[in-house]
Amino acid sequence: MKLTFTPAAAGRLQKFLGDDVKMVLDFDDGVGPFSDEANCTLALSFNLVFVNKDTDLSEFGAKIDSNLGEIYAKPYSTDQMDEEMTVDVNEKYLRYSLAGRGGELDPALGIKKVA
């Protein structure tokens, strides 16, 4: 599996990256330390979370390659994704999206810094 950040998205997210940070693509299903609450609609919700490199990520056993580095995810959350995914940003509204070949998976990808 591969996740590509568009140049616009990568440029805006660069400020969160560093040697002391790991990235997590968290499926917001109410399970895990970064999930606030489960979504009660049929819509899927994901958050891109930037955490300290020492954070316990044992619940996030799936690893996704990206052009910004390795991303951790819940193993079962990758079932929702295509083999090739993209994160883009709408510059006008500063809204991030997660999409695959099949279309948008999450039109309002959340961005969180926990590090």
Side-chain angles (χ1 to χ4, degrees), residues 34-52:
F34 312 120
S35 190
D36 294 329
E37 57 186 69
N39 193 339
C40 295
T41 68
L42 295 177
L44 295 175
S45 180
F46 285 84
N47 292 300
L48 183 62
V49 185
F50 296 87
V51 301
N52 186 289

Side-chain angles (χ1 to χ4, degrees), residues 3-93:
L3 192 147
T4 301
F5 292 86
T6 64
R12 290 197 150 276
L13 296 172
Q14 201 66 39
K15 63 185 173 194
F16 297 114
L17 298 172
D19 293 337
D20 59 339
V21 174
K22 289 184 181 177
M23 291 183 288
V24 177
L25 185 59
D26 185 37
F27 178 40
D28 195 0
D29 60 352
V31 177
F34 312 120
S35 190
D36 294 329
E37 57 186 69
N39 193 339
C40 295
T41 68
L42 295 177
L44 295 175
S45 180
F46 285 84
N47 292 300
L48 183 62
V49 185
F50 296 87
V51 301
N52 186 289
K53 69 176 181 180
D54 298 326
T55 302
D56 177 15
L57 298 177
S58 56
E59 294 182 45
F60 301 91
K63 294 181 182 175
I64 302 169
D65 290 327
S66 88
N67 57 328
L68 293 183
E70 192 170 63
I71 300 173
Y72 294 80
K74 297 171 186 169
Y76 58 86
S77 71
T78 60
D79 294 342
Q80 309 295 325
M81 299 179 212
D82 292 335
E83 277 300 310
E84 293 183 26
M85 300 295 295
T86 302
V87 171
D88 197 4
V89 63
N90 178 315
E91 293 280 358
K92 182 175 180 180
Y93 299 109

